[in-house]
Amino acid sequence: MAETKSRSKRLMTMGGLIFLAIGIILYFVKEPMGLNRKIYDLPVFLIIIGACSALKGYMAKEKTEEEAALAGKTFSEFLTNNAILLAMLVLVVVICILQPRFMQIRVALDILTQSSTKLIMALGICFTLLIAGTDLSAGRMVGLSAVVSASMMQTATYANRFFPDLPQVAVWMPIVIAILACMVFGALNGFLVAKYDMHPFIATLAVQVIIYGACSLYFDMPPNNSQPIGGIRPDFAQLGQMRLFNGVYRGFPGISILIPIAVVICIVIWFILNKTVFGKNVYAIGGNREAAVVAGINVFRNIMGIFILASCLYGVAGVLEAARTAGATNNYGNGYELDAIAACVVGGVSLNGGIGKVGGIIMGVLIFTIIQYGLQFINVSPMWQQVIKGVIIAVAVAIDLTKYRRK
Amino acid sequence: MRKIFVTALIIALTLSSCAFADVKIGSCIYRFSDAFMLRFRNAMTAESVNEKAEIIIADSLNDQNTQDAQVDDFINSGVNVLIINPVDRMQSQSIIDKAKSANIPVVFINREPTAEMLATYDRAYYVGAKPEESGTEAGELIANYFKSHPEADKNKDGKIQFVMLRGENGHQDMIARSKYSVEAIKDAGFEPVEIAGAIANWDKLQAMTIMNAFIMSLGAENIEAVIANNDEMALGAVEALKANDYNKGNAEMYIPVVGVDANASALDAMDRGEMLGTVLNDADGQGTAAVKLAVALANGKDVSGQVVDGKYIWVPYQKVTRGEK
Amino acid sequence: MSEYLLEMKNITKTFPGVKALDNVNLNVRKGTVHALMGENGAGKSTLMKCLFGIYEPDGGEIYLEGQKASIHSARQAMDKGIAMVHQELHPIRFRSVMENVYLGRFPGHMGVVDHKAMYDKTKALFDELELDVDPLALAGEQSAAILQMMEIARAVDMKAKIIILDEPTSSLSDREVDHLFKIINRLRSQGVAFVYISHKMKEILEISDEITVMRDGTYVGTWPVSNEKGEKLTIDFIIKQMVGREMTNQFPAREGKPSDEVVLKVENVCSTAKKSFQNVSFELHRQEILGIGGLVGAQRTEFVEALFGLRGIASGEILLNGARYSAKSPGFAKSKGLALLTEERRATGIFGILPILENTVIANQRNYAHLGILNDSKRRVDADAECKKLNVKTPSLNTLIQNLSGGNQQKVLIARWLLTNSDILILDEPTRGIDVGAKYEIYNIMLEQIAQGKSIIMISSEMPELMGMSDRIMVMCEGRVTGFLNKGEYTQEKVMALATQFAGRKDNTAA
């Protein structure tokens, strides 16, 4: 046992170092050898991957006997548990061969940027999944928040202002208003689920329709009359478009502000889930609602909290979407909830409730974005993209359920 | 009861000009809150002042029955001519029949009755725009740009490598605009090459995501033009370009983007030099033409010179480029 | 040809930590009603589940009409002519009675159901059983009695040779019981054998031909109800067989006595549900273990759950340390110093997919939190200390609780409530389904708590435990308190007599 332990550690460290070495060599020879247009930033990726895995192998703590036993899974189990991840890696390699431009730092950063708002949504929806529920109103909340915030953030000179007489208010005000609007509907979700014991599927479906109607009414108010909202103030658009460290290094495109925002929210949600009474209660209610009641947990209050917190995150995502695209229509966010749920499931969140980690959700969102982005990258027809997306969801849920049954 | 209501509505919403005009026009708009029809209405009112005609415009509240009742009221109150924007173009026959029995001419606007319907009455006409023309104009915008800016052909191969962002799959405008914009580029003597194209469902966000992927996979330096089926998608492409430092004022890093609609955001982007141009569905021109035709008909003039196929006036779309707000 | 229709020989079944059946025999003759008796947990249901293919016995053989039979599923059991009418019936509520009768074997061809044939057959069956029910009526609208008859009709139609009736009369009125017995008598005369599980002595003496008694998973014996001279068995005799075991020293010594101080006073408390507990009154003293005895259906669990705020209380008064207490919610009960260890460990106790740590501290999170943020190390230290104190055997606190044995799970749950430092511990079947060693440890924990000045209410269906641990026993029957027994004066027979006080019907048989 001890031998395999140290062997796997050694393997990881060695493999990492080899990657690192190849990366460094390639980095210096690619220009003289004219490989620049063939491998792009591949050396940098190799260096990063190699350094990470070498470090991980080196730092890996001694495993306890139990953990070692758990880790000692069979090869086929490893394959099924990581099927989606492996499929993604294969796809990435195929894309890199078909279109070497995929191996660019800016592509990686772009994928992270696009993942950011999706991740924020997925983190919101995971709370509702953790209590074996769901939230179908999430996408429409994104739309509501985008429209509300954008409507108050137009430049004074724009021809078709939503509120022609509105002064140039401070940026935080419309943001807070938009998020509060979402939280009102989140509270409605929570109330229906907690008070009347409605299944979240039907409660949030009802609220989804209500939100879309309300948002469309707002959007249709004269003088806007359902025109797409544009003329967004640059200071607001910066929230979604600003790039940090732009050009510090030759050709470095900069890191979108969305990435650090998503990272901060990830940390906050991780903290809530793991370090607060509320987070523990979420897992408990999802794990065994009856037992949670007996343990004296106020299920009503916690479910309300779950839906309100989730809607707050959707609100943030909506504001960021509006800022990123410098505009909004009532159609924003349509269908996002399904993508977010799918990403959560791929990331190991159990639809039976009680199981799910922030790390898994990050993985799920990244896998989903990479696959989607990659398919778009090699210009796969949108119809095929849909088919592939559906297959991924089905396979992921099947794996989730077999895992569950094995226990 | 309903009739009283409708009558009251007409009176309340009447925009009357000269009280002693010879020509009295009755007009129905399918829904007043439609922004495009608002421009249409303003143009009609202005033109009837020019023509010294009286015009009464009613809001059909997006209900065909209401509109039919309004047409009856107009005929009873003795208008000389009708200008109708049908709620449901397939139900225009009843309006044609009413006009025919009262023997007054009728001009349809914006929503086109079928040719069979128009054929049932020799004094029924249609004023509107041809959808394929919006595509042609957009293509011409690109072609004109390449003529005046030879450096836009970045790889100097004489061809235009463009990206096409399409609207909803199967939509008639999407089909017409995609097809005729390419035709127009060909007609202008360039060879169009669609290096990438995708359906972005008229949506800014989707267009932005897709355009971003194209920039990454093709390289922005290899894209010479972006043609979008509407302004929202064009603006999405603009945001994606801006995120990659294109179209931000540096002439070296510019890709012409065209859309259709001439909505406020597009005009705004054009003022900032982020977008090349858009195509306007000319509400003013159509409104003016409709009133001119109606007045001529009411005065019993021969209009055969103005109309094509004996029934139609096609008002062209208009190109809108920078500085021509 | 054997003289028996069914022979179960030396059936043995072990669950993790518990020997549920140990060499049990059951021999049933053709055309008889065979009563199977024993206390709760004696193994009757387990034995029947082995017969019905739901459990696979570890040892022993089953013979049907002299032929060795192997039964691996309920389907196979039914094919071999064994039918079971469960205590709790779950019909498909929104389908008709006839569809329920023919569920899974609809008459018809090639997947097309012949509704006419189904109707006629059901009608004929019901006529035979003198059941006046429209086959087209919705199953969900029928009374429990009708549903039971429906199940029996289904068994008859499937040409069942043996019909198992599990507590068939628990929710029937006297008239309905008469009807049931009439049907049983008729089928018996046609050669059908019944295995009849019930606690109701008088009924058993009335309807059955033979009685087999089980105790603690073992076979006690089989007796004919009337001997050749026509003398019937007495209820006392049966009770003695059911409970009569030697009392060994399975309980730790109790030191000290309950104080006179009353911590909980319950007066005339009635449930909001009509069929549940009514007019419950008692006093609980500090440092007292009050045992609550009774049979299944005595509403003991329902009562303590109501006390903890999980069920509604319609009337009555509860005084906690002299102050009025209204059981609003479990959270409130917890804040007032009550703790409830529930009967169904899996359903309402453990969070199976969560680690032991979370399971231990879940009821006590507030004490580790400042502004909602948890102090992780404090949680871990406390959970570790408590689990060590209670001797929970686990590799680490991060192990999922579902991987522990029942006894260790129970200890974790007790640790959970000890952490809340409650004054009154309500333990509902605290040692159900756990092995002897763990039981002894739990008894020790209870006594320790008493020594620290706490009070305990313990529901137990295990007679020795009830008598061995309680300072006083309150017996309930059908939702009412039928009596109190003080330490020293209780015998198993007395408890059983109180527990079955209303359980008999009209006193028409010799007692």
Side-chain angles (χ1 to χ4, degrees):
Chain A
M1 203 70 196
E3 200 184 327
T4 55
K5 218 191 306 169
S6 59
R7 199 199 291 160
S8 75
K9 251 180 75 175
R10 228 175 11 228
L11 204 71
M12 208 160 179
T13 319
M14 286 306 294
L17 289 175
I18 293 170
F19 266 63
L20 191 67
I22 298 175
I24 292 171
I25 295 167
L26 280 176
Y27 185 78
F28 286 107
V29 302
K30 74 170 179 176
E31 264 180 67
M33 288 180 69
L35 288 173
N36 229 351
R37 293 271 154 230
K38 292 215 175 79
I39 58 170
Y40 288 90
D41 296 326
L42 181 64
V44 182
F45 285 114
L46 287 179
I47 290 169
I48 293 171
I49 294 169
C52 285
S53 75
L55 210 64
K56 202 176 167 203
Y58 182 72
M59 301 274 283
K61 58 171 189 249
E62 291 293 323
K63 285 175 182 165
T64 66
E65 223 163 272
E66 188 200 11
E67 282 166 336
L70 279 176
K73 283 176 284 195
T74 62
F75 185 62
S76 70
E77 260 180 65
F78 175 81
L79 277 186
T80 39
N81 284 345
N82 296 291
I84 299 287
L85 190 66
L86 294 171
M88 184 204 79
L89 287 177
V90 171
L91 182 76
V92 167
V93 171
V94 170
I95 294 169
C96 288
I97 293 166
L98 288 175
Q99 181 53 275
R101 280 174 173 275
F102 201 67
M103 297 177 278
Q104 287 179 92
I105 292 286
R106 60 168 63 234
V107 170
L109 286 171
D110 209 36
I111 288 171
L112 289 178
T113 309
Q114 290 200 10
S115 303
S116 300
T117 43
K118 291 183 190 171
L119 180 58
I120 293 168
M121 281 207 66
L123 288 173
I125 234 164
C126 91
F127 279 89
T128 67
L129 296 180
L130 279 174
I131 56 162
T134 186
D135 191 349
L136 299 180
S137 64
R140 292 304 186 189
M141 284 205 207
V142 169
L144 176 73
S145 158
V147 167
V148 170
S149 56
S151 69
M152 298 177 206
M153 279 282 115
Q154 291 169 304
T155 51
T157 55
Y158 185 64
N160 193 25
R161 295 190 71 200
F162 198 97
F163 297 113
D165 304 321
L166 187 78
Q168 300 289 293
V169 295
V171 174
W172 61 265
M173 262 174 57
I175 296 176
V176 170
I177 292 171
I179 292 174
L180 281 178
C182 288
M183 285 164 79
V184 168
F185 287 107
L188 179 59
N189 272 333
F191 186 75
L192 292 177
V193 172
K195 174 80 180 176
Y196 299 107
D197 223 355
M198 252 190 225
H199 193 283
F201 184 92
I202 205 70
T204 58
L205 178 66
V207 173
Q208 176 204 58
V209 178
I210 295 171
I211 294 173
Y212 182 56
C215 181
S216 298
L217 282 175
Y218 180 80
F219 192 59
D220 195 40
M221 285 194 321
N224 193 61
N225 296 323
S226 294
Q227 294 269 50
I229 298 172
I232 299 301
R233 277 162 51 183
D235 51 347
F236 178 67
Q238 279 299 303
L239 265 180
Q241 299 180 339
M242 196 207 293
R243 278 175 292 152
L244 311 167
F245 310 115
N246 189 2
V248 287
Y249 176 69
R250 175 179 55 110
F252 185 67
I255 295 169
S256 164
I257 181 122
L258 293 174
I259 298 173
I261 290 177
V263 169
V264 168
I265 289 178
C266 277
I267 293 169
V268 169
I269 296 301
W270 179 86
F271 186 84
I272 290 176
L273 276 178
N274 293 287
K275 298 288 167 193
T276 66
V277 175
F278 174 67
K280 296 295 177 185
N281 288 349
V282 171
Y283 280 114
I285 293 171
N288 187 344
R289 186 173 163 158
E290 304 306 315
V293 172
V294 173
I297 293 171
N298 188 330
V299 173
F300 178 86
R301 212 187 295 159
N302 280 288
I303 290 182
M304 286 294 281
I306 285 167
F307 279 97
I308 293 174
L309 177 64
S311 63
C312 175
L313 289 171
Y314 311 145
V316 171
V319 168
L320 294 177
E321 284 291 75
R324 182 165 76 98
T325 59
T329 71
N330 59 339
N331 237 0
Y332 267 42
N334 185 15
Y336 277 26
E337 63 276 356
L338 299 180
D339 282 355
I341 291 170
C344 283
V345 170
V346 171
V349 178
S350 165
L351 291 177
N352 294 318
I355 301 175
K357 287 182 177 154
V358 172
I361 296 164
I362 296 173
M363 277 311 292
V365 170
L366 280 179
I367 288 175
F368 235 81
T369 315
I370 289 173
I371 290 177
Q372 237 175 330
Y373 193 94
L375 293 175
Q376 185 67 58
F377 205 86
I378 50 175
N379 213 358
V380 171
S381 118
M383 292 82 169
W384 275 110
Q385 287 186 32
Q386 300 279 335
V387 172
I388 293 167
K389 214 161 119 183
V391 169
I392 292 169
I393 296 169
V395 171
V397 176
I399 292 169
D400 172 57
L401 291 178
T402 45
K403 262 193 236 169
Y404 199 74
R405 223 171 277 140
R406 219 181 287 149
K407 281 171 187 165
Chain B
M1 194 63 210
R2 185 177 179 93
K3 211 142 199 179
I4 297 169
F5 170 73
V6 170
T7 317
L9 198 75
I10 290 177
I11 294 165
L13 298 169
T14 293
L15 297 156
S16 58
S17 50
C18 310
F20 303 105
D22 305 335
V23 178
K24 205 172 162 192
I25 307 169
S27 176
C28 295
I29 300 296
Y30 90 97
R31 186 165 65 95
F32 270 17
S33 56
D34 183 304
F36 181 76
M37 293 315 295
L38 173 68
R39 276 157 56 191
F40 217 113
R41 267 193 290 149
N42 292 340
M44 290 202 300
T45 313
E47 181 59 21
S48 50
V49 172
N50 282 347
E51 297 274 341
K52 301 207 168 27
E54 182 186 350
I55 188 164
I56 307 166
I57 307 179
D59 183 354
S60 298
L61 303 169
N62 208 14
D63 176 10
Q64 189 61 53
N65 291 328
T66 305
Q67 189 167 64
D68 287 356
Q70 287 165 344
V71 170
D72 286 338
D73 266 18
F74 281 139
I75 292 171
N76 294 338
S77 69
V79 298
N80 311 109
V81 60
L82 292 167
I83 298 179
I84 304 295
N85 167 217
V87 175
D88 178 353
R89 70 185 193 98
M90 300 313 289
Q91 288 187 37
S92 308
Q93 189 65 54
S94 67
I95 294 170
I96 295 174
D97 293 344
K98 286 180 207 291
K100 190 175 179 183
S101 58
N103 196 28
I104 56 174
V106 56
V107 177
F108 288 94
I109 52 173
N110 183 251
R111 293 176 172 187
E112 183 190 346
T114 62
E116 292 77 34
M117 289 181 190
L118 289 177
T120 59
Y121 182 35
D122 59 348
R123 298 175 77 190
Y125 298 85
Y126 176 72
V127 175
K130 284 183 175 168
E132 59 265 30
E133 233 177 84
S134 56
T136 309
E137 301 283 339
E140 284 174 9
L141 274 171
I142 293 290
N144 293 345
Y145 180 79
F146 273 74
K147 275 179 190 152
S148 58
H149 296 81
E151 76 279 5
D153 184 9
K154 290 173 188 154
N155 55 6
K156 310 285 173 221
D157 63 352
K159 300 172 187 170
I160 299 178
Q161 275 83 10
F162 69 94
V163 166
M164 176 81 83
L165 295 171
R166 295 186 168 83
E168 195 184 325
N169 198 10
H171 194 288
Q172 58 169 13
D173 285 348
M174 170 268 197
I175 296 166
R177 290 175 190 176
S178 303
K179 186 173 171 208
Y180 290 97
S181 52
V182 179
E183 294 289 322
I185 294 175
K186 264 188 217 160
D187 291 346
F190 292 96
E191 185 179 335
V193 182
E194 182 177 329
I195 49 171
I199 289 171
N201 294 313
W202 311 119
D203 186 83
K204 184 174 185 180
L205 237 164
Q206 285 185 37
M208 183 173 165
T209 309
I210 290 167
M211 188 63 203
N212 214 3
F214 287 153
I215 293 169
M216 294 295 166
S217 60
L218 304 168
E221 67 277 13
N222 297 323
I223 301 172
E224 294 176 349
V226 178
I227 303 172
N229 283 171
N230 78 345
D231 278 348
E232 276 296 288
M233 292 190 292
L235 288 166
V238 165
E239 291 299 335
L241 287 168
K242 277 163 66 187
N244 288 281
D245 292 321
Y246 270 74
N247 292 26
K248 287 174 100 172
N250 180 349
E252 294 281 298
M253 297 176 83
Y254 179 79
I255 295 173
V257 180
V258 294
V260 177
D261 285 345
N263 74 25
S265 321
L267 298 177
D268 196 48
M270 282 154 56
D271 285 341
R272 274 181 273 119
E274 297 165 358
M275 189 169 149
L276 172 67
T278 181
V279 179
L280 171 68
N281 193 355
D282 188 1
D284 297 352
Q286 290 174 40
T288 311
V291 171
K292 276 204 166 96
L293 177 67
V295 171
L297 288 167
N299 290 333
K301 287 186 184 145
D302 178 26
V303 294
S304 57
Q306 302 174 32
V307 299
V308 291
D309 300 335
K311 292 281 178 199
Y312 301 96
I313 292 180
W314 296 116
V315 177
Y317 279 85
Q318 289 197 344
K319 298 186 190 73
V320 183
T321 49
R322 200 172 176 178
E324 289 180 36
K325 202 168 170 187
Chain C
M1 188 75 197
S2 160
E3 67 175 305
Y4 296 111
L5 180 61
L6 166 73
E7 288 166 271
M8 296 179 82
K9 283 186 183 162
N10 300 324
I11 302 292
T12 299
K13 175 75 189 167
T14 316
F15 292 115
V18 199
K19 202 156 202 182
L21 296 175
D22 188 4
N23 284 309
V24 177
N25 299 310
L26 179 69
N27 299 321
V28 181
R29 289 171 218 268
K30 194 167 188 261
T32 61
V33 175
H34 196 113
L36 184 59
M37 303 199 67
E39 289 179 272
N40 296 331
K44 300 171 307 231
S45 309
T46 313
L47 184 68
M48 288 303 104
K49 282 176 178 168
C50 286
L51 175 60
F52 205 56
I54 296 168
Y55 290 152
E56 197 103 351
D58 303 328
E61 286 114 34
I62 299 173
Y63 294 90
L64 282 170
E65 296 177 310
Q67 301 286 314
K68 192 171 171 183
S70 62
I71 302 167
H72 303 292
S73 69
R75 181 97 215 177
Q76 283 181 352
M78 285 190 255
D79 289 345
K80 290 187 161 62
I82 304 168
M84 189 158 174
V85 178
H86 295 270
Q87 188 179 0
E88 305 272 334
L89 296 169
H90 298 288
I92 301 173
R93 304 185 59 83
F94 296 105
R95 305 306 304 175
S96 64
V97 168
M98 66 174 190
E99 278 182 57
N100 273 280
V101 170
Y102 283 97
L103 190 68
R105 44 193 195 98
F106 292 128
H109 298 286
M110 319 248 304
V112 180
V113 176
D114 184 347
H115 284 89
K116 177 86 173 61
M118 185 152 70
Y119 182 88
D120 293 344
K121 283 168 112 174
T122 312
K123 192 83 191 139
L125 256 180
F126 283 3
D127 286 348
E128 192 191 329
L129 297 180
E130 292 174 33
L131 257 181
D132 185 24
V133 179
D134 179 5
L136 293 174
L138 288 187
E141 290 169 357
Q142 307 305 317
S143 67
I146 300 285
L147 291 176
Q148 211 164 51
M149 304 290 182
M150 195 180 87
E151 283 297 313
I152 294 174
R154 186 175 157 88
V156 169
D157 187 62
M158 290 164 80
K159 306 274 180 289
K161 295 177 199 131
I162 302 169
I163 299 175
I164 305 162
L165 301 173
D166 189 2
E167 299 269 1
T169 58
S170 58
S171 51
L172 299 195
S173 71
D174 288 355
R175 271 192 46 218
E176 288 167 337
V177 172
D178 285 338
H179 188 194
L180 175 69
F181 282 5
K182 223 160 127 187
I183 291 173
I184 292 177
N185 281 326
R186 171 184 303 207
L187 293 172
R188 170 161 59 183
S189 65
Q190 291 167 9
V192 176
F194 287 88
V195 177
Y196 192 98
I197 301 174
S198 177
H199 286 292
K200 299 187 181 176
M201 301 289 172
K202 288 168 189 166
E203 263 175 42
I204 283 179
L205 292 176
E206 181 184 340
I207 191 73
S208 51
D209 301 300
E210 282 180 306
I211 295 177
T212 291
V213 175
M214 291 174 68
R215 187 199 309 143
D216 287 346
T218 58
Y219 172 73
V220 177
T222 302
W223 298 270
V225 168
S226 347
N227 61 15
E228 310 83 54
K229 292 177 212 155
E231 292 169 40
K232 287 209 162 192
L233 294 175
T234 62
I235 293 181
D236 283 348
F237 173 81
I238 300 170
I239 290 180
K240 199 160 224 139
Q241 298 305 324
M242 281 164 62
V243 298
R245 83 196 87 183
E246 289 168 58
M247 295 289 287
T248 50
N249 195 16
Q250 5 172 353
F251 303 100
R254 166 89 158 95
E255 283 162 16
K257 271 191 172 166
S259 79
D260 290 336
E261 186 192 345
V262 176
V263 288
L264 181 72
K265 189 174 156 89
V266 175
E267 264 181 292
N268 283 320
V269 168
C270 299
S271 165
T272 45
K274 254 217 172 97
K275 283 194 154 183
S276 194
F277 59 87
Q278 303 296 333
N279 294 319
V280 176
S281 302
F282 68 87
E283 286 180 351
L284 177 69
H285 297 265
R286 184 171 295 284
Q287 295 184 296
E288 181 182 32
I289 300 180
L290 175 68
I292 306 182
L295 300 171
V296 169
Q299 307 294 326
R300 296 172 294 170
T301 297
E302 287 76 0
F303 168 69
V304 294
E305 285 183 357
L307 201 56
F308 198 63
L310 285 162
R311 287 170 191 264
I313 291 177
S315 62
E317 196 172 41
I318 305 171
L319 295 173
L320 191 63
N321 294 320
R324 272 200 72 140
Y325 162 84
S326 64
K328 281 186 282 198
S329 70
F332 181 75
K334 193 169 77 174
S335 72
K336 290 289 173 194
L338 266 63
L340 172 66
L341 187 72
T342 53
E343 179 184 13
E344 301 287 336
R345 190 164 53 234
R346 250 172 206 292
T348 57
I350 63 165
F351 299 94
I353 52 175
L354 296 184
I356 291 171
L357 171 66
E358 306 297 345
N359 271 287
T360 314
V361 296
I362 189 71
N364 199 29
Q365 302 272 37
R366 295 253 164 253
N367 293 342
Y368 303 113
H370 182 65
L371 296 173
I373 297 167
L374 290 167
N375 181 339
D376 233 3
S377 55
K378 196 167 165 231
R379 268 170 15 120
R380 198 166 275 275
V381 167
D382 270 18
D384 195 47
E386 207 61 42
C387 287
K388 284 226 171 76
K389 206 160 83 194
L390 300 195
N391 199 17
V392 177
K393 293 182 194 73
T394 171
S396 89
L397 283 180
N398 297 328
T399 307
L400 300 189
I401 196 169
Q402 64 193 3
N403 297 335
L404 296 187
S405 71
N408 279 311
Q409 288 181 357
Q410 194 74 327
K411 281 191 262 179
V412 170
L413 293 183
I414 293 174
R416 176 194 292 175
W417 288 114
L418 295 189
L419 274 177
T420 63
N421 212 10
S422 307
D423 285 330
I424 299 174
L425 298 171
I426 306 168
L427 310 177
D428 194 352
E429 305 284 358
T431 64
R432 168 171 292 180
I434 63 182
D435 59 67
V436 183
K439 274 187 186 177
Y440 196 83
E441 288 180 78
I442 287 175
Y443 298 145
N444 263 329
I445 296 163
M446 287 168 64
L447 293 183
E448 260 169 49
Q449 293 303 311
I450 292 296
Q452 287 172 22
K454 310 254 168 96
S455 315
I456 292 177
I457 297 173
M458 176 185 74
I459 294 178
S460 178
S461 296
E462 288 187 45
M463 205 60 85
E465 175 177 286
L466 193 65
M467 300 199 303
M469 289 305 297
S470 308
D471 293 318
R472 206 150 53 100
I473 296 177
M474 175 172 96
V475 186
M476 290 177 72
C477 177
E478 300 193 349
R480 278 161 289 178
V481 175
T482 49
F484 289 88
L485 296 165
N486 287 317
K487 194 156 197 159
E489 71 178 36
Y490 32 69
T491 63
Q492 308 200 16
E493 288 78 3
K494 279 186 188 166
V495 174
M496 209 45 148
L498 286 172
T500 54
Q501 188 158 322
F502 307 118
R505 299 192 301 118
K506 286 163 286 170
D507 198 5
N508 54 1
T509 41

